[in-house]
Amino acid sequence: MLAPRRLKVLERAATTTPSAVTLPAFLVPAFQPTSAPRRQFSNTSNRPSKLGRTPISIPPGVELFIGEPQVKKDPTTYLRVPKRTVTVTGPLGKIDLEIPQYLTINHDEASRRALLSIEDYNVKQQKEMWGTTWAYLRRHIIGVSEGHTAVLRLVGVGYRATVEERPRKEQYPGQKFVCLKLGFTHPVEEPVPVGMKASTPQPTRILLEGINKEEVMSMAARIRKWRRPEPYKGKGIFVDDETIKLKQKKIK
């Protein structure tokens, strides 16, 4: 229940007629109606993907085979969606790539070019997968024709690497292991996956070769995690042209 004083104030406000509200002079233009339409936040046109619309050149000896759509389970959304499998075959091997149904690959065998296109340019997911699929397809074409490599540098006193066989630990016949001496009490052994090659041209260099760039860099990351580069002495395992900025030592 309201106090008597507040109740009187409410009754007085209800009986009085509303008067005209006066605005300051600097606010009047903002409340005046305008006939011209308001300017949108962005006036840029909807442009297609710069990578997706670029044709991919296919070198001699590389062939593309585009399969029919098949319903498969998506590993991310767990939904059954139709997908097609593109098989890239070359002198070094064969790689399969799954593409969504809304993405089309126009393969011109005469000019040896492949052009990717999507159904709707206004759908965000289709535009994202357009450039991503283009990058994967181009990477696979380079992999089966030239191959992908990764060079690891071991920087540190006593750091050594060798490639040896471990018959008791091998998962397939002839599997090799990258054996590392990184200052631990025991040697570190990393298995080489199927379809990849590992060699040590120098005791402090590791050369990884393969047709799938994702597998090559994953193998390099697994080796690097044992001794990540540290910023005080610059020691560690560096991949390709990786560098690190040195810091000054903390002096108490």
Side-chain angles (χ1 to χ4, degrees):
M1 187 173 180
L2 296 175
R5 194 169 185 179
R6 294 184 178 180
L7 185 61
K8 290 181 180 180
V9 173
L10 292 176
E11 291 178 354
R12 190 183 304 168
T15 55
T16 56
T17 57
S19 59
V21 180
T22 58
L23 295 175
F26 66 91
L27 288 178
V28 173
F31 288 89
Q32 289 181 351
T34 57
S35 58
R38 287 188 175 184
R39 183 174 178 268
Q40 299 294 331
F41 178 75
S42 177
N43 291 332
T44 56
S45 59
N46 189 8
R47 296 181 179 180
S49 173
K50 184 177 181 180
L51 291 178
R53 62 184 178 180
T54 306
I56 303 175
S57 60
I58 303 175
V62 178
E63 299 295 336
L64 295 181
F65 176 75
I66 304 172
E68 296 295 332
Q70 296 181 359
V71 178
K72 297 184 179 180
K73 190 174 182 179
D74 190 86
T76 305
T77 60
Y78 300 102
L79 299 177
R80 299 182 65 85
V81 293
K83 291 186 177 181
R84 287 180 296 176
T85 303
V86 179
T87 304
V88 185
T89 309
L92 301 181
K94 180 179 68 173
I95 306 180
D96 294 334
L97 175 65
E98 292 184 353
I99 62 174
Q101 187 181 10
Y102 52 78
L103 203 148
T104 307
I105 299 179
N106 299 322
H107 181 204
D108 190 357
E109 297 182 0
S111 60
R112 303 197 63 82
R113 286 190 174 186
L115 185 64
L116 280 69
S117 61
I118 56 177
E119 295 178 356
D120 192 355
Y121 295 99
N122 298 321
V123 180
K124 183 179 180 180
Q125 183 183 9
Q126 295 189 16
K127 292 177 65 178
E128 292 173 349
M129 292 303 298
W130 191 10
T132 303
T133 307
W134 183 94
Y136 272 111
L137 183 60
R138 182 174 177 273
R139 185 184 301 173
H140 290 346
I141 291 175
I142 296 176
V144 297
S145 59
E146 302 175 5
H148 297 287
T149 60
V151 180
L152 287 79
R153 296 179 288 113
L154 280 63
V155 180
V157 178
Y159 288 5
R160 295 292 184 270
T162 57
V163 178
E164 302 176 4
E165 294 184 358
R166 294 289 186 267
R168 296 183 179 180
K169 297 183 179 180
E170 63 182 15
Q171 300 174 354
Y172 62 90
Q175 184 181 21
K176 295 187 178 181
F177 290 77
V178 179
C179 302
L180 305 168
K181 295 181 180 180
L182 302 174
F184 300 115
T185 57
H186 57 85
V188 177
E189 298 177 353
E190 282 291 339
V192 180
V194 182
M196 282 186 53
K197 296 180 181 179
S199 59
T200 53
Q202 298 178 10
T204 58
R205 297 289 187 274
I206 303 174
L207 176 62
L208 302 178
E209 300 175 283
I211 61 175
N212 194 336
K213 187 176 182 180
E214 185 175 355
E215 294 181 357
V216 172
M217 299 310 295
S218 296
M219 176 70 181
R222 289 196 299 271
I223 297 176
R224 179 184 178 273
K225 75 175 183 179
W226 291 103
R227 285 294 186 187
R228 294 185 177 91
E230 55 91 17
Y232 293 101
K233 293 184 179 180
K235 298 167 58 177
I237 301 176
F238 296 82
V239 180
D240 291 335
D241 297 332
E242 181 183 5
T243 58
I244 189 169
K245 186 177 180 180
L246 297 180
K247 296 181 180 179
Q248 294 182 355
K249 296 182 180 179
K250 297 180 181 179
I251 302 176
K252 294 183 180 181

